[in-house]
Amino acid sequence: MVAPAQIPKKAGDRVKTDRRDAVQLARRLRSGDLTPVYVPAVDDEAVRDLVRARADALKASKAAKARLKAFLLRPDIRYEGRANWGPAHLRGLAEVVCPTPAQQIVFQEDVRAVSEHQERLQRLEAELQSQVKTWRWAPVVEAMQALRGVQCTVAVTLIAEVGDLTRFDNPRQLMSYLGLTPSAHTSGERRRQGALTKTGNSHARRALSEGAWAYRYPAQVSRHLQLRLEKLPKVLQAISWKAQVRLCKRYRRLIARGKNANQVVVAIAREMAAFVWAIARTVTGAH
């Protein structure tokens, strides 16, 4: 199976018949000009649907919280605590009294909507944790959690969206697939790089970028990371520490050069993809 949009076509060729298409496909296949499409297994698609349902629930939960906070701004009811949506914030919401009965009804409905979205998110996360245990990519998911900033949800999202990571011959292909490589325009001796291509899977790219924020702190093994590493072989532990040393140092170096933090995180995410690829190849034994 190939991508129809990636099939080369002459600009002036307006004749289309089954015979001509078959001949052109055969020639393109022989010359290697066709781009194959990865077809996931049924179980992989099922886990991907569950991952995207969880992402939709998270998005809906954030939207419900934003609506509630925006509503409270109208009667000038503000939370003065440090952490939003923590136990202290929830206790504060339970004591809120709006100026009018109608506003109190709207407030209670918004609070109920936030609670319902949170419960739905917790159910989906619990189901996701349960389904991953029997998934064929469970060893790769567990191994990927050796990386700092890559917990179970991030690892499952990457595998479910990308599929078999070993199908890429080198990490640059994976970076390009994720849309983490900069666009480029070259003419003669002049070479100019632009924004990210963003041509790949947006779900996997977002998950990897969120995990990359963990490398803004100095390299260290936290307690949570240590518990994950204890279950893994020494070779994966070595890859994890190598990634920490390199990526934390690169983050500080790019920030010192005056780069924007968001741009730096994207650069870290791009290099994280290389370590993810190396871990997948190590676990599956691909060469």
Side-chain angles (χ1 to χ4, degrees), residues 130-239:
S130 176
Q131 293 292 327
V132 169
K133 294 179 180 178
T134 57
W135 194 25
R136 65 174 181 141
W137 296 114
V140 181
V141 171
E142 185 177 4
M144 284 175 56
Q145 296 180 61
L147 293 175
R148 183 177 179 178
V150 180
Q151 297 185 8
C152 183
T153 302
V154 175
V156 174
T157 301
L158 282 173
I159 298 298
E161 296 292 344
V162 179
D164 186 7
L165 294 174
T166 60
R167 61 193 172 97
F168 300 101
D169 296 330
N170 54 69
R172 289 187 178 275
Q173 292 183 1
L174 176 58
M175 297 173 190
S176 178
Y177 179 84
L178 293 173
L180 289 172
T181 54
S183 57
H185 178 76
T186 303
S187 179
E189 298 181 355
R190 181 180 180 183
R191 183 174 184 270
R192 181 180 5 177
Q193 288 186 332
L196 295 181
T197 59
K198 294 185 179 181
T199 56
N201 189 290
S202 60
H203 300 278
R205 182 171 60 251
R206 181 174 61 251
L208 203 59
S209 299
E210 290 176 355
W213 282 102
Y215 294 93
R216 66 186 185 274
Y217 303 111
Q220 63 177 351
V221 179
S222 65
R223 176 171 177 78
H224 295 288
L225 181 58
Q226 180 62 37
L227 293 176
R228 301 201 302 263
L229 290 174
E230 290 176 352
K231 307 175 185 178
L232 302 175
K234 295 293 184 181
V235 60
L236 296 180
Q237 296 181 21
I239 294 176

Side-chain angles (χ1 to χ4, degrees), residues 4-16 21 24 28:
Q6 299 297 324
I7 298 177
K9 184 178 179 181
K10 295 180 180 179
D13 190 0
R14 299 180 179 274
V15 179
K16 184 182 185 308
D21 289 346
Q24 289 296 329
R28 299 298 184 188

